Amino acid sequence: MKTAAFLLSLLFIVYCSSFETSTNIQTDHSNPIGYYEGDPLPPKTAFLTFDDGPSDWTSDVLDILKKEDVKATFFVCGAWLPKASTRGNSFRKYKTVLIRMKEEGHTIGNHTLGHQNFAYMSPKRIERQLEENQKLYQNELGEYSGKLIWIRPPFGSPYIKTKSEVVRKRVSSALQGKGLVFMWTKEFDSTDSKEWVKGEWYEKGPRINPDNEKFRKKMDRIYNSLVYKTEGQGVVILFHDTHPTTKEVLPFIIEKLKAEGYTFATAEDYTRWRWGKTSEELSEAAD
């Protein structure tokens, strides 16, 4: 019995070791290369990701990340926020924020130009949304720009709650060669984009009231939706830097994760961990 128990323990150790090193598992080989639900993650590592910005709150998020010495991944849209257009776009309005984001070591990814659902788009429209966002980013940031290799499909569609394999395969085919997809761990959606509350808006001003009871309750919900699910596993957390509730609760979430022994990483770190390559090298190899 002791010998059998020892062999089982040894097999478990070998299994864990193989998981904790870079592997090349894809949940579905028809998907573009990247991270999807069920793919391996380094243990006790939190990947903080922020969608939909930049916005009036992004600089505050960057202040928190700098203070905590944490790197994150931002998936940006050029012309989606209220009053945004290709002429009065978010990349122009928040150019200094984006430059700071890059200079402080964060990863910036492509969240499309107008935040439209891929499931209802033709392959050509999907390609156009990604390429126009990239072009706008380069036009506005110039020498401070770069290729937005990592892609986060708006709404996670069609890789979250997929009902149609036909739709998923059509979108996957359209995304092949366009970059690397980075989804989130399904149970680690912060829910910050749900149930807008009084005192919460895209722009700073009199509408913002962090002391409002519903505002505080939403902060509690965001916090509780994340910190009680961590058990030492690697997690990709979904936030949105377009919500003041997020930037208010973020320090408490980081503090809790650090207390549990978590370290923090970006999508670029994930590429190196899993494939031993930079995102650029991996993307070029996948073309």
Side-chain angles (χ1 to χ4, degrees):
M1 290 293 291
K2 287 184 178 179
T3 301
F6 172 78
L7 288 173
L8 285 172
S9 298
L10 183 61
L11 284 171
F12 180 76
I13 292 170
V14 170
Y15 170 76
C16 290
S17 297
S18 65
F19 184 80
E20 291 176 9
T21 56
S22 179
T23 59
N24 202 19
I25 300 169
Q26 279 294 107
T27 52
D28 187 331
H29 290 283
S30 69
N31 294 338
I33 196 166
Y35 167 76
Y36 301 86
E37 175 71 18
D39 280 355
L41 289 166
K44 279 203 170 183
T45 305
F47 296 82
L48 306 185
T49 67
F50 298 86
D51 287 9
D52 297 357
S55 78
D56 278 5
W57 311 112
T58 308
S59 60
D60 294 328
V61 170
L62 291 175
D63 288 343
I64 293 164
L65 295 174
K66 184 175 182 179
K67 182 179 179 181
E68 297 291 344
D69 193 24
V70 167
K71 308 302 180 192
T73 305
F74 292 83
F75 291 96
V76 297
C77 295
W80 180 65
L81 293 181
K83 302 179 183 177
S85 64
T86 52
R87 183 171 295 179
N89 65 79
S90 296
F91 296 162
R92 180 177 299 176
K93 183 176 181 180
Y94 302 105
K95 179 177 178 179
T96 56
V97 173
L98 289 164
I99 292 172
R100 177 188 172 189
M101 196 182 289
K102 190 170 183 178
E103 289 182 340
E104 293 183 358
H106 303 290
T107 295
I108 307 176
N110 196 333
H111 201 41
T112 75
L113 181 71
H115 202 275
Q116 298 176 24
N117 193 325
F118 285 169
Y120 305 108
M121 299 170 67
S122 68
K124 285 187 177 180
R125 284 183 62 201
I126 291 172
E127 183 176 348
R128 207 157 45 234
Q129 277 288 305
L130 293 170
E131 289 182 349
E132 288 180 3
N133 201 44
Q134 173 71 61
K135 183 178 179 180
L136 190 65
Y137 180 73
Q138 288 178 313
N139 287 346
E140 297 297 346
L141 271 74
E143 63 179 306
Y144 296 103
S145 69
K147 189 173 181 182
L148 302 174
I149 296 173
W150 282 102
I151 297 169
R152 168 78 52 84
F155 313 105
S157 177
Y159 303 109
I160 295 291
K161 299 180 180 179
T162 304
K163 293 183 178 179
S164 171
E165 284 297 301
V166 173
V167 170
R168 186 185 59 75
K169 289 184 181 297
R170 172 170 53 80
V171 173
S172 289
S173 178
L175 293 177
Q176 291 288 356
K178 303 298 186 295
L180 311 173
V181 172
F182 200 66
M183 297 300 293
W184 62 89
T185 310
K186 189 166 65 173
E187 293 184 349
F188 286 85
D189 178 346
S190 69
T191 74
D192 61 351
S193 64
K194 299 176 183 178
E195 299 174 9
W196 284 49
V197 298
K198 185 178 180 181
E200 183 177 33
W201 193 245
Y202 282 111
E203 299 174 354
K204 294 180 181 177
R207 292 188 183 94
I208 303 305
N209 180 12
D211 294 323
N212 177 275
E213 182 182 358
K214 290 184 178 180
F215 191 101
R216 305 300 297 185
K217 283 184 177 180
K218 182 174 178 180
M219 283 178 57
D220 289 342
R221 189 192 75 221
I222 294 169
Y223 182 85
N224 293 330
S225 71
L226 301 174
V227 300
Y228 296 115
K229 297 176 184 175
T230 50
E231 298 176 346
Q233 77 277 43
V235 294
V236 179
I237 301 176
L238 171 63
F239 293 108
H240 298 79
D241 51 319
T242 51
H243 292 270
T245 42
T246 300
K247 65 102 174 175
E248 291 290 337
V249 75
L250 183 61
F252 301 102
I253 292 171
I254 293 174
E255 180 184 19
K256 175 66 172 174
L257 289 170
K258 283 184 175 180
E260 293 181 7
Y262 272 79
T263 57
F264 298 85
T266 68
E268 186 63 34
D269 296 323
Y270 181 76
T271 316
R272 294 174 184 272
W273 172 82
R274 186 170 173 189
W275 292 283
K277 297 179 180 179
T278 66
S279 61
E280 187 173 3
E281 291 170 339
L282 188 62
S283 180
E284 288 175 354
D287 286 347

